[in-house]
Amino acid sequence: MTDQHVSEHKDGSWRVKGAGHSRASSKHSIQSEAIAAAVETAKKQGSEVVVHGRDRKIRAKDRYGNDFYLPKE
């Protein structure tokens, strides 16, 4: 289960990279395509998508899979 980070690369493309990995798993010309690819991977792995803006700050997060913070009944 590796969180997927979406961020802009210095060449202007958008990359999807698993947390802790040194290389991007995919490269896209627009952010929405990168987010879609990250969501697909996160759903398969049950992990989180972290979207970074152009300023590198986190602008959105979404978890796919088990939510550890749900209240117990």
Side-chain angles (χ1 to χ4, degrees), residues 4-5 9 14-18 21-27:
Q4 303 299 306
H5 290 259
H9 192 263
W14 290 88
R15 308 278 171 106
V16 177
K17 189 165 95 169
H21 294 138
S22 59
R23 299 179 69 180
S25 56
S26 61
K27 176 181 172 181

Side-chain angles (χ1 to χ4, degrees), residues 1-2 8 11 17 19 23 26 37 39-40 52 55 57:
M1 182 167 93
T2 303
E8 187 178 31
D11 67 4
K17 189 165 95 169
R23 299 179 69 180
S26 61
V39 167
E40 184 177 328
H52 299 265
D55 60 2
K57 293 181 182 177

Side-chain angles (χ1 to χ4, degrees), residues 24-58:
S25 56
S26 61
K27 176 181 172 181
H28 308 271
S29 58
I30 58 175
Q31 188 184 41
S32 61
E33 290 176 355
I35 292 170
V39 167
E40 184 177 328
T41 301
K43 283 181 177 179
K44 289 177 185 175
Q45 295 180 350
S47 62
E48 187 171 64
V49 172
V50 181
V51 180
H52 299 265
R54 286 197 158 108
D55 60 2
R56 297 276 192 217
K57 293 181 182 177
I58 294 173

